Structure formats: C-alpha cells, structure tokens
Amino acid sequence: METTHDFIKELESGKYDWMKDKPVISYCTGGIRCEVLSSLMINRGFQEVYQIDGGIVRYGEQFGNSGLWEGSLYVFDDRMHTEFGSPEDPDYVQLGHCVHCGEATNQFYNCANEPECRKQYLSCERCRETTPYCGECATERASA
Ligand SMILES: [Zn+2]
Ligand SMILES: [Zn+2]
C-alpha cells in the first residue's frame, strides 16, 4: 500500500476477512494512520483491533533496540531515518542494504535524476559519490 486511501480498497477486497475473529494489531510511525485503519476495520466487523499507542516512534523511545522492532525507522523529514539505540548495542539490527553494492546501510537518498524520478533509495556513501541514482535510473544510464 502506498497511501492511507489504499486501506479502504484493501479492506473492501475482503481478502483480510478471515482475520475478523482474530486479534489484530496495527501500527504506524506516529499512531495517526493506524487510528484510521482501526476504525475502518471495526466498521467492517473485525472483533479485536488494537493499535500501538503513539506509534512506532513512542515504542522505540520506550524499548530502544531491545523491543520487537528491528532496524531503522523511516521518517518523513530530512533525517529520513531514525534509530532507537546505538549501533554499538548488541541488539542493534541493520536491515537496509545499498542498492548498488549490497553493503549494509540505513541512509536514504533522493535519486539525482530529478524531477523525472522521485524515488528514494538506500545507498552507502561510496556508491552515492560515484552513482547518485536509484537502482532503475543507474541501470538505464549504464545501458544508454
Ligand atoms: Zn554501495
Ligand atoms: Zn531514479
């Protein structure tokens, strides 16, 4: 799903109706979008709907790297990601990989092929210097 509006289509498709009598937990970054999703689910007859109070941001503040959340959290500001604890922490998990070389990274960049491409992609610093494009644009440029 790309937008909150997609929730409606997804739910109305009926493909999640088998979960109606099961406990369901929704979560999102700040706890606003799952509020929307929860009320849509309740209206459709879901019996036990929960949400994480304050969203993943609050959860991360409370549990740091030792909670059930793994990896970074994408955020909608210039930082593009936030961490819940130190990378030196033994519970720290890095899930992201550079789209070009596969090296572990949690840094998002805007594709330099603007305004044609509006993608954000994960890249290590080294590849960002040599190839400041998302995977698709880099492939196109290489074959052009
Ligand atoms: Zn790289
Ligand atoms: Zn691109």
Side-chain angles (χ1 to χ4, degrees):
M1 280 177 268
E2 303 243 318
T3 68
T4 306
H5 191 75
D6 296 338
F7 285 158
I8 300 165
K9 259 186 290 170
E10 282 292 304
L11 274 179
E12 285 179 355
S13 76
K15 66 176 143 178
Y16 303 104
D17 284 354
W18 63 273
M19 289 190 230
K20 277 185 174 175
D21 60 347
K22 303 195 184 311
V24 177
I25 302 172
S26 65
Y27 60 88
C28 63
T29 306
I32 307 296
R33 282 169 298 151
C34 55
E35 186 77 45
V36 175
L37 179 60
S38 293
S39 64
L40 289 171
M41 292 179 96
I42 290 164
N43 288 343
R44 194 166 167 92
F46 285 75
Q47 301 295 311
E48 250 188 286
V49 179
Y50 303 95
Q51 46 190 299
I52 295 182
D53 193 21
I56 294 300
V57 168
R58 181 89 54 80
Y59 182 87
E61 284 166 5
Q62 197 169 341
F63 294 98
N65 285 338
S66 55
L68 295 170
W69 183 265
E70 292 194 333
S72 309
L73 175 65
Y74 180 88
V75 290
F76 302 90
D77 59 36
D78 291 344
R79 295 171 299 161
M80 293 192 188
H81 70 94
T82 185
E83 307 303 317
F84 293 148
S86 163
E88 275 84 59
D89 200 319
D91 291 327
Y92 183 80
V93 178
Q94 188 154 51
L95 298 176
H97 295 279
C98 173
V99 298
H100 300 301
C101 73
E103 185 179 295
T105 183
N106 52 20
Q107 189 56 57
F108 275 99
Y109 293 96
N110 292 313
C111 178
N113 186 23
E114 293 177 296
E116 289 80 13
C117 180
R118 302 195 152 274
K119 281 203 188 85
Q120 293 186 335
Y121 68 100
L122 285 165
S123 178
C124 70
E125 281 177 39
R126 196 164 16 93
C127 291
R128 176 64 183 183
E129 279 168 25
T130 56
T131 315
Y133 305 105
C134 74
E136 289 85 354
C137 291
T139 306
E140 262 175 46
R141 276 163 188 267
S143 63

